[in-house]
Amino acid sequence: MSDAIQIVLTLVVGFFTGVLSGMFGVGGAVISTPAIRVLGATPFEAVGSTVPSILPSSITGTLRYHREGLINWRVVGWTGCAGILSTVAGALLSHAVPGNGHVLMILTALLVGFTAFRLGRSPERPDPADAEEPDALDAPPPGSVGASTITTASRSVGERTEWWRLAIIGVSAGLLSGLLGVGGGILMVPLFVSWARLELKSALGTSLACVGILAIPGMITHQLLGDIDWAFALPLCIGVIPGARVGAHLTIRSSDRTLRLAVAIVLGSIALIYLIGEIASLVG
């Protein structure tokens, strides 16, 4: 394969990586990692070279979600800060995992499958005790400034965003991000929905903002380890920018049911193909 063809194909991979990142807040490496393996990257390069592209896709998609008021910045702060050190630890541990990198790929496939299962299920009904409607007598007239505040507050009723809960999510996602180069979103999204009880679109946008923070220490560490091949990383970085914008737009305009079905089908299919290919490589 010529260098020109490799660059063009990597740009295409980057675009679809950005679409997935913007739609599901998962960093997109679940597409780019196996794709650049096919294009010639080694297992360790496939993990490390995808990390730089997480940052531009995260920034692009986050800006789009922020315009719609779908980013919970308090959650971003606690989760992102808690995950920074564990991201470095995960990157350092990546070479200690046996199997010449193939085990990392298999673990990624299993985690992607887990995400598809969790997000594809019907959402749990909220506990009535967690919800408390505002007193109608105290509510400001519709259309007033206070009315928009009440609406925003009512959407957050039932959320469980204690600092320690967010810190646990951040540390876990950071470790995963550094270890597998997948951005940590495949763990944050289901935990934000099921454990922190964020609304689905808010969970997706908030996760996307978090993965950008976690990508920075992971990128530096993988570069020092020599795992980043910039012949793959740079085209990915360019391709993800328009892709993330498209993906975020599709999510914002979709219903929750459509999003859950989409993530179950897309990520489930990726996980299956991913798992079969890496087991075959490991056994062969």
Side-chain angles (χ1 to χ4, degrees):
M1 181 186 303
S2 69
D3 291 342
I5 293 177
Q6 177 181 295
I7 291 173
V8 170
L9 291 177
T10 306
L11 284 169
V12 173
V13 169
F15 175 80
F16 286 105
T17 296
V19 171
L20 184 66
S21 175
M23 287 189 71
F24 302 129
V26 296
V30 291
I31 284 182
S32 58
T33 297
I36 66 173
R37 284 275 288 120
V38 173
L39 294 176
T42 67
F44 289 125
E45 288 175 346
V47 171
S49 300
T50 61
V51 178
S53 66
I54 295 174
L55 190 57
S57 67
S58 171
I59 293 173
T60 303
T62 297
L63 290 174
R64 185 67 179 88
Y65 280 106
H66 177 64
R67 285 173 52 193
E68 302 294 329
L70 294 172
I71 306 292
N72 188 323
W73 290 107
R74 179 178 179 275
V75 174
V76 172
W78 279 108
T79 306
C81 290
I84 289 176
L85 291 179
S86 62
T87 301
V88 176
L92 294 174
L93 286 172
S94 63
H95 284 260
V97 178
N100 195 31
H102 291 294
V103 173
L104 292 178
M105 304 296 107
I106 293 173
L107 181 57
T108 301
L110 293 175
L111 287 168
V112 173
F114 169 77
T115 300
F117 171 74
R118 290 298 302 270
L119 294 185
R121 296 192 309 171
S122 297
E124 297 179 0
R125 293 182 179 274
D127 188 343
D130 290 335
E132 183 176 335
E133 294 294 332
D135 192 331
L137 295 177
D138 296 332
S144 67
V145 175
S148 63
T149 304
I150 290 293
T151 301
T152 302
S154 64
R155 285 167 49 192
S156 64
V157 169
E159 291 181 357
R160 295 180 174 177
T161 56
E162 301 90 341
W163 70 267
W164 58 267
R165 192 186 300 267
L166 301 176
I168 291 174
I169 295 175
V171 169
S172 303
L175 187 65
L176 183 68
S177 175
L179 188 64
L180 302 179
V182 294
I186 60 175
L187 187 60
M188 281 188 287
V189 171
L191 288 179
F192 282 160
V193 172
S194 63
W195 202 34
R197 294 191 177 181
L198 299 184
E199 292 184 352
L200 180 57
K201 290 182 181 180
S202 179
L204 296 172
T206 302
S207 172
L208 190 59
C210 290
V211 299
I213 295 175
L214 300 184
I216 296 173
M219 179 175 65
I220 294 172
T221 306
H222 278 293
Q223 175 63 31
L224 294 175
L225 292 172
D227 292 340
I228 299 179
D229 184 342
W230 289 97
F232 290 111
L234 286 177
L236 286 176
C237 287
I238 295 171
V240 297
I241 295 175
R245 185 172 180 82
V246 170
H249 177 80
L250 291 174
T251 291
I252 290 168
R253 300 305 175 203
S254 299
S255 67
D256 281 8
R257 177 175 174 79
T258 299
L259 290 178
R260 289 180 183 276
L261 290 175
V263 74
I265 294 171
V266 173
L267 296 189
S269 300
I270 291 172
L272 183 60
I273 296 171
Y274 206 169
L275 182 64
I276 292 174
E278 290 302 326
I279 288 178
S281 299
L282 187 61
V283 173

